[in-house]
Amino acid sequence: MRTLTMTAAVLAASLALVSTSPAQAPQSFRVISPIFGQLVSFAMPSNFVAVFENTKGGHYIREAVLKGETPERWTQMITVTGEKGMTLTQGASPEALAGSIAGGFKSACPDSFAAQPLGATNFGRFEGFVAVIGCGRVDSGPTRHSETALLVTLKGTTDYYTIQWAERGPESDEPPVNDERWQTRLRELSPIELCPIVPGEAAPYPSCVSKS
């Protein structure tokens, strides 16, 4: 089983940025994570907990699932990835990266794949692309199921990043890529921002906090 190597900085940033009354659990908290050349910031729903983190070469990944679930058995998962130096790759763009990830989904379920582009958008001064992609039938995991994901890709100063909110459900002929829940979840993740890493600055990264 994969083990969590969540950094203290990420945890500190998460906890320091919760601002609700003690009697009520927060609906979300802000996560600010140093990933390669920038800080990646977004709102994490409070019922999610990070369960896996890994950096291998120029690839970074962190996964969070609903409390009580595991990296193997989950119904919803929020994944953050980073691709170091990808802005130097010829032909790279947020839309092209989204297309590549969608292609991976399609290869896993060619008969039940569906996608709904939500289009290009800017996150602050950084280019991005948003889409919903999914498989109606996937055989991985404990049982056959559907898997649909809100996909956000961002072009940073030197690196590319993605934020994905995936959900598993009963198998179907076509995943629910047109459901209104995905627009709602995009709003729940907002604000999504990329901030510069300030030398010597520690969590909770006040330079990025004050940006919002």
Side-chain angles (χ1 to χ4, degrees):
M1 180 175 175
R2 297 178 296 185
T3 57
L4 172 64
T5 57
M6 186 77 164
T7 63
V10 173
L11 287 171
S14 301
L15 295 173
L17 292 166
V18 173
S19 56
T20 59
S21 63
Q24 185 178 3
Q27 291 186 342
S28 65
F29 57 92
R30 190 171 177 190
V31 178
I32 303 177
S33 311
I35 303 175
F36 298 130
Q38 288 177 277
L39 298 172
V40 179
S41 173
F42 66 98
M44 174 87 82
S46 62
N47 55 340
F48 280 79
V49 60
V51 291
F52 177 73
E53 182 183 45
N54 186 51
T55 303
K56 186 175 182 179
H59 308 281
Y60 171 88
I61 185 170
R62 186 175 74 245
E63 298 171 343
V65 299
L66 293 173
K67 292 177 180 178
E69 298 185 347
T70 70
E72 292 77 28
R73 291 178 176 268
W74 54 270
T75 57
Q76 293 186 51
M77 176 181 284
I78 295 177
T79 304
V80 181
T81 71
E83 298 295 330
K84 187 175 183 179
M86 192 174 174
T87 59
L88 298 177
T89 301
Q90 186 175 3
S93 71
E95 184 174 0
L97 178 56
S100 176
I101 295 170
F105 266 68
K106 187 174 183 178
S107 66
C109 59
D111 297 328
S112 63
F113 172 79
Q116 178 60 51
L118 302 183
T121 186
N122 284 348
F123 297 93
R125 65 184 183 88
F126 295 98
E127 299 173 18
F129 191 85
V130 182
V132 182
I133 57 178
C135 289
R137 286 182 295 275
V138 181
D139 290 321
S140 64
T143 60
R144 178 177 284 189
H145 57 273
S146 64
E147 190 167 319
T148 310
L150 171 69
L151 170 63
V152 178
T153 60
L154 301 99
K155 178 184 178 181
T157 303
T158 59
D159 314 310
Y160 271 73
Y161 304 97
T162 77
I163 301 173
Q164 304 169 49
W165 189 337
E167 180 174 335
R168 288 175 171 173
E171 64 174 298
S172 63
D173 292 335
E174 184 174 314
V177 295
N178 294 306
D179 196 282
E180 291 182 1
R181 83 186 79 165
W182 305 111
Q183 291 282 4
T184 300
R185 288 181 179 175
L186 180 59
R187 291 192 294 269
E188 290 177 4
L189 293 171
S190 300
I192 297 171
E193 297 178 323
L194 299 179
C195 302
I197 294 177
V198 177
E201 183 182 63
Y205 307 106
S207 64
C208 194
V209 175
S210 63
K211 184 179 177 183
S212 295

